Amino acid sequence: METHQLFKKNETYNGFYAMLLVNRLQMLYFFLIMPNILINPYMIWVLIAVGILSHLNLLLLSKWLLTRLSSNGYNGFVQLFGKKLVRFLSFIGLFFILLKLSVITLGYSEIIQTFMLPATDTNFLVFFILLFCFYVAGKGVEHTIRFVLISFFCTFWIITFFIFFFFPPIAHLSDLYPLIPMEWKVENWKAFFLILSSYSGPEFLVFLGPWLKTNNKTFRYLSYGNALTVVEYVFLFIASLLYFGSDFLSKSQYPIVNMARYFQNPVIERTDMIMLSFELFNLVFAVSLFLLLFYGASKIAFGKMSKPSSGKGLLFSAFLIFIGMVLVNELFWKSWEKQTFLLNLQIIAGSIGYFLVPLVVVLVMRKRGG
Amino acid sequence: MRLHKKRCKRLILLFMTFSLSGCAPFTENNLIEEISPITFLSISKGDKGELKVSTIMPPLSKENKVVMSQEVSLLKEGVQKYNLNFYQEMKSGQMRMLVISDELGKDGIMSIINVLLTDPDISSRIYLVIVKGNFEKYMESQLDKDENFDYSFYRMLKHYEVQNQGELTVVNLHEFKNLLYTPYSDPFLPVFKLEEDGVNYEGTALFKDEKLVKTISSIDDRIFQLINNDHYLAVLPIQEFEVVLGHVRSKIKVDIDSSYSTMTYTVNIDTRIEEYRGEKQLFDPKELENMKKDIETHLEKQTHELLKKMQELKVDPLQLGIQTKRPFSKPMEEKKWSEMYEKMDIKIKYDINIDPLTDANSKRQNL
């Protein structure tokens, strides 16, 4: 039996993979609940505006990816920040990853519990999801990145079904009025940060430098991925406005799933169940990637970089994450008010992470490199 | 990863068996022999202000079917009582219709609608129907004659819903909810009357918010189908002129003046004459023109009366209020709109285009 190196680097992936990575990391849990926070039709413009902002972020990201430092992985970061700071930052990063992991996994399992398995405890669902992810992550970073292809093709087609809502009798143009904001409420700021947080995810590409083949076309591919996400978000949001009307939207807990529930098919009655199951591919991809990042970051944070990576270590971090998630589930997620707190925390953490990580990396790089 | 390959495979196998065989821990038991997936529920007013919930059990198997009803104060309590009284567990995943009695409709059905909306098992495609008469008694009398009458009823609603076949109002939960919750609109539902010979379509029930306030029938209902629901009618008989218009298609144009005091409601109709028993020479273009004018005035008068009725009741199933929405201005408050709507002068204009196809009774000219 060969000894498996989780972080070994045999091949690099081209821009197409970078595009898929950006797109799929942005289409995680939040797009399922987003319409019920955005509510107002004029938020379409905010979605697009923040999408453009996200473009600028990707520009910074691509600058970093183009440098020689990024392809050095850990050593590159050490050169940039110094060993101690890298350890400290990794330690903080662990919480960010755990928070993101908890929100997307628990959110997804709760949807599964609501729509498919009402009697099952979400902790079991989390266990099975993590089991899957452990298997994928166990194949190493290379294979996990490659898994994005499967994840993309298993989930992208789902959105095409929603075209159904753009035709009469459901679609009325007046559902999209007023198109410009007449007043700006406090809740709209929450919606703004939610959008920013939904677009977050690509900042994790900062750490995947060694596995990405970069050239002058990298930014183009990254922005294609981002543009695709913006189109998907705007498309889904308009569809939900047409289906629910902006007055009912805030009352629907899972608007996108409820819309999928409305599809009818003579063969499969519950199309939403099939779609939700396919959505699992995307979740498994993202969670596996985060699992590897979590393991890597914990190795750095606890100063174990000299030791080779092992399956046992990964298993241990998966176990830690499982315990963490069960705790978060019991303490926060199951009660509604605390869940909102956790969501708000992730909204803020996601926004800050996405905004700061590429910016800080590039700024420090400029300062050091001159 | 040092996990042995075989062990890995076994793990996956274990997981697959778990998930594929449906023995994931603590799932609901949905064995088909042990559940009864009801297809409809009928809700009416009980004796002491409670709800009377009835359905036919068992809905699937070839056993003798019985009508079961329970008097409960909460709708879901009814489901629980069924479970305690019947050997199969009741499931609502296959529910297709909800039959509501008109007395209950008059009291308001918001709470029932909310129960349906919050249950993820219940599809938002289920049909809502108002019935006049005792549906429970009717079910009992029907069971001997035709056990599958509930299915036939469902097929009928489904037939008229798909592609908007005209003829009758069919409303599902999603449409009802949207009309109920959006400002400037009031919901409506089909009304069926129970008679000796079966369930007969009577017309459309208009709701003021959640309460049934008026049932429109015959010509009013025909016009309602034409101007709102389907914009299509297979046949439109007009007895006054001894004529039947067939394949009537309509297009509506609504104009509101800037002060919101007058509304011009234009109905463009494309149709052909299917039957005529009068004395007019419809081959003569002039006569046809006269006929057209007569029909236009008649329909204008009828529609005007219908809209007047709606204004008096302050109901707006036609969603006329959304005409005031503009892309670049703040939407009007609902209260303000309803005040304006009441006083609004509505002008109806019909523009009919007729192709004469048959005139069996007319004498042919130039023969």
Side-chain angles (χ1 to χ4, degrees):
Chain A
M1 186 76 193
E2 56 178 324
T3 47
H4 212 99
Q5 275 290 330
L6 291 173
F7 298 101
K8 76 173 174 196
K9 176 190 151 189
N10 281 341
E11 52 181 324
T12 50
Y13 293 99
N14 57 20
F16 181 66
Y17 276 89
M19 175 180 110
L20 296 186
L21 280 172
V22 168
N23 176 247
R24 285 302 104 180
L25 284 175
Q26 286 176 328
M27 293 292 289
L28 290 169
Y29 170 64
F30 275 156
F31 80 98
L32 291 169
I33 56 160
M34 188 144 81
N36 95 41
I37 297 175
L38 299 194
I39 302 169
N40 300 304
Y42 52 75
M43 279 295 168
I44 297 167
W45 307 117
V46 183
L47 268 173
I48 295 170
V50 179
I52 293 168
L53 213 68
S54 161
H55 247 58
L56 298 177
N57 242 350
L58 289 175
L59 185 70
L60 295 178
L61 191 71
S62 69
K63 280 214 169 111
W64 159 252
L65 287 176
L66 276 173
T67 56
R68 198 179 42 78
L69 283 177
S70 79
S71 56
N72 285 350
Y74 170 65
N75 294 329
F77 281 104
V78 171
Q79 259 174 292
L80 205 61
F81 294 108
K83 221 170 188 174
K84 270 191 182 161
L85 197 57
V86 168
R87 276 184 71 176
F88 177 68
L89 289 176
S90 318
F91 187 69
I92 293 180
L94 286 179
F95 293 99
F96 275 82
I97 296 176
L98 188 65
L99 183 65
K100 183 150 185 140
L101 271 176
S102 309
V103 169
I104 60 174
T105 318
L106 295 176
Y108 181 80
S109 0
E110 199 185 10
I111 292 179
I112 294 289
Q113 191 194 35
T114 316
F115 288 91
M116 291 167 76
L117 306 163
T120 314
D121 192 342
T122 39
N123 289 334
F124 274 99
L125 296 171
V126 170
F127 174 73
F128 284 119
I129 291 171
L130 277 176
L131 203 66
F132 253 142
C133 298
F134 173 67
Y135 174 73
V136 175
K139 297 278 178 192
V141 177
E142 264 175 32
H143 287 90
T144 310
I145 292 180
R146 187 174 281 174
F147 189 64
V148 75
L149 204 66
I150 296 173
S151 148
F152 182 80
F153 284 109
C154 280
T155 49
F156 183 71
W157 53 270
I158 291 175
I159 199 168
T160 55
F161 279 76
F162 288 78
I163 292 173
F164 166 74
F165 297 112
F166 284 77
F167 294 100
I170 288 171
H172 286 288
L173 199 59
S174 59
D175 282 331
L176 301 181
Y177 295 160
L179 275 172
I180 48 165
M182 293 299 150
E183 51 191 337
W184 192 261
K185 295 178 212 139
V186 188
E187 290 91 60
N188 290 5
W189 282 112
K190 186 185 172 188
F192 172 79
F193 283 110
L194 173 81
I195 296 171
L196 194 59
S197 181
S198 311
Y199 284 133
S200 77
E203 74 267 24
F204 289 97
L205 254 61
V206 165
F207 314 108
L208 298 179
W211 291 275
L212 293 175
K213 201 187 287 170
T214 47
N215 48 32
N216 50 5
K217 279 187 186 160
T218 305
F219 172 62
R220 197 184 293 173
Y221 277 111
L222 292 179
S223 56
Y224 286 161
N226 187 54
L228 191 62
T229 316
V230 176
V231 169
E232 281 179 78
Y233 273 121
V234 171
F235 180 83
L236 284 175
F237 182 52
I238 293 179
S240 61
L241 277 174
L242 293 175
Y243 179 74
F244 290 105
S246 83
D247 294 276
F248 190 74
L249 208 48
S250 59
K251 297 185 181 75
S252 176
Q253 200 186 349
Y254 301 112
I256 301 292
V257 192
N258 277 325
M259 282 158 76
R261 184 86 177 79
Y262 197 65
F263 296 134
Q264 56 179 1
N265 183 314
V267 188
I268 307 157
E269 208 163 88
R270 294 286 301 265
T271 339
D272 57 322
M273 282 193 177
I274 310 276
M275 290 177 178
L276 269 179
S277 313
F278 271 102
E279 208 48 55
L280 185 64
F281 278 97
N282 199 10
L283 184 82
V284 165
F285 153 71
V287 174
S288 321
L289 196 65
F290 291 140
L291 207 64
L292 282 167
L293 288 176
F294 186 88
Y295 176 48
S298 56
K299 265 177 74 176
I300 296 169
F302 299 106
K304 296 270 167 32
M305 271 317 274
S306 50
K307 285 192 175 175
S309 57
S310 66
K312 261 185 207 156
L314 185 68
L315 186 64
F316 183 67
S317 37
F319 183 69
L320 264 184
I321 286 173
F322 175 62
I323 300 286
M325 272 194 208
V326 170
L327 283 177
V328 171
N329 197 8
E330 297 297 331
L331 296 178
F332 291 99
W333 200 266
K334 284 187 176 171
S335 85
W336 186 242
E337 303 90 38
K338 286 178 186 164
Q339 181 179 350
T340 322
F341 164 75
L342 202 67
L343 277 180
N344 289 343
L345 197 68
Q346 167 58 21
I347 287 173
I348 294 165
S351 314
I352 291 176
Y354 190 38
F355 185 68
L356 283 186
V357 170
L359 191 72
V360 166
V361 166
V362 170
L363 279 182
V364 174
M365 196 173 71
R366 279 277 155 86
K367 214 174 159 193
R368 291 280 156 94
Chain B
M1 193 174 85
R2 278 208 197 96
L3 257 184
H4 204 277
K5 255 194 179 170
K6 257 190 185 171
R7 241 163 72 196
C8 229
K9 275 185 186 161
R10 267 183 214 158
L11 223 96
I12 296 163
L13 207 72
L14 187 77
F15 178 71
M16 298 275 263
T17 24
F18 256 119
S19 49
L20 287 181
S21 61
C23 0
F26 316 125
T27 52
E28 283 191 355
N29 185 351
N30 279 332
L31 260 170
I32 194 73
E33 291 86 356
E34 292 166 18
I35 58 167
S36 53
I38 49 159
T39 54
F40 77 97
L41 269 185
S42 145
I43 308 172
S44 56
K45 248 170 119 171
D47 293 333
K48 296 166 215 148
E50 292 185 315
L51 293 175
K52 194 169 188 184
V53 186
S54 7
T55 187
I56 298 178
M57 298 270 233
L60 274 187
S61 53
K62 299 232 171 211
E63 295 166 55
N64 276 339
K65 297 191 176 188
V66 280
V67 177
M68 291 182 86
S69 43
Q70 300 283 353
E71 295 225 1
V72 285
S73 51
L74 298 164
L75 184 58
K76 286 274 163 163
E77 198 189 338
V79 177
Q80 183 224 341
K81 278 200 176 172
Y82 280 126
N83 290 344
L84 301 180
N85 289 345
F86 195 65
Y87 75 100
Q88 289 178 331
E89 192 186 346
M90 189 162 139
K91 296 273 175 182
S92 44
Q94 283 295 325
M95 208 150 109
R96 301 302 165 97
M97 293 179 293
L98 188 78
V99 181
I100 302 165
S101 77
D102 65 332
E103 292 111 8
L104 193 64
K106 281 171 190 155
D107 285 356
I109 52 171
M110 178 78 105
S111 63
I112 295 171
I113 297 300
N114 286 341
V115 169
L116 301 178
L117 284 175
T118 44
D119 190 342
D121 275 348
I122 296 174
S123 160
S124 43
R125 279 196 183 267
I126 68 166
Y127 299 120
L128 303 179
V129 168
I130 295 276
V131 289
K132 278 186 174 169
N134 192 333
F135 195 66
E136 194 193 326
K137 260 194 194 151
Y138 173 76
M139 282 193 284
E140 268 164 14
S141 67
Q142 282 293 305
L143 273 185
D144 307 327
K145 293 186 216 157
D146 173 19
E147 347 190 82
N148 292 325
F149 79 96
D150 52 337
Y151 181 68
S152 331
F153 192 37
Y154 163 69
R155 288 308 305 190
M156 179 183 82
L157 293 172
K158 178 115 183 139
H159 171 80
Y160 288 108
E161 185 203 35
V162 175
Q163 311 285 331
N164 293 347
Q165 296 297 303
E167 304 300 311
L168 30 134
T169 307
V170 182
V171 179
N172 65 28
L173 178 62
H174 162 69
E175 291 159 346
F176 187 85
K177 165 207 77 181
N178 264 16
L179 287 171
L180 183 63
Y181 278 99
T182 42
Y184 327 120
S185 62
D186 289 300
F188 52 89
L189 288 180
V191 179
F192 288 85
K193 201 170 187 180
L194 301 173
E195 275 160 17
E196 292 283 306
D197 55 336
V199 193
N200 296 335
Y201 178 71
E202 195 183 67
T204 305
L206 303 181
F207 282 70
K208 171 75 193 153
D209 295 327
E210 50 150 0
K211 284 182 182 152
L212 194 162
V213 285
K214 172 92 188 157
T215 307
I216 53 170
S217 53
S218 58
I219 184 79
D220 280 349
D221 186 54
R222 304 262 95 191
I223 290 174
F224 186 72
Q225 304 299 328
L226 203 57
I227 61 177
N228 183 56
N229 205 16
D230 300 311
H231 299 289
Y232 174 73
L233 272 181
V235 281
L236 174 64
I238 302 173
Q239 281 91 355
E240 281 83 351
F241 306 113
E242 295 171 273
V243 68
V244 175
L245 300 179
H247 302 280
V248 195
R249 278 161 218 289
S250 69
K251 272 199 190 106
I252 310 289
K253 209 172 148 248
V254 185
D255 283 312
I256 305 184
D257 71 338
S258 50
S259 63
Y260 297 116
S261 55
T262 343
M263 176 188 281
T264 323
Y265 197 86
T266 319
V267 187
N268 284 306
I269 282 182
D270 256 322
T271 181
R272 62 184 194 203
I273 290 178
E274 296 246 312
E275 190 182 347
Y276 182 61
R277 288 169 66 92
E279 293 300 315
K280 276 187 180 138
Q281 285 282 354
L282 291 187
F283 264 142
D284 184 1
K286 266 189 191 165
E287 293 267 5
L288 185 67
E289 194 62 25
N290 285 342
M291 175 72 150
K292 214 174 82 179
K293 285 267 151 52
D294 288 345
I295 297 175
E296 277 175 3
T297 340
H298 176 71
L299 287 177
E300 274 165 18
K301 197 175 135 246
Q302 290 286 347
T303 315
H304 192 262
E305 274 169 25
L306 176 65
L307 262 74
K308 196 91 206 146
K309 237 181 265 171
M310 289 178 185
Q311 274 179 301
E312 277 162 19
L313 294 164
K314 297 180 201 165
V315 297
D316 184 10
L318 301 174
Q319 290 187 278
L320 294 171
I322 57 170
Q323 305 289 341
T324 62
K325 272 183 148 187
R326 297 280 177 276
F328 303 112
S329 60
K330 199 179 173 185
M332 197 188 287
E333 272 175 39
E334 201 184 357
K335 212 175 162 192
K336 201 175 158 198
W337 160 251
S338 71
E339 279 169 15
M340 279 180 169
Y341 175 61
E342 240 179 295
K343 292 175 201 149
M344 195 171 273
D345 179 22
I346 300 181
K347 291 198 172 102
I348 313 284
K349 206 170 159 290
Y350 268 80
D351 198 356
I352 302 180
N353 179 29
I354 300 182
D355 318 324
L357 280 183
T358 60
D359 69 339
N361 279 2
S362 71
K363 287 173 205 148
R364 298 203 170 186
Q365 291 176 326
N366 310 326
L367 260 179

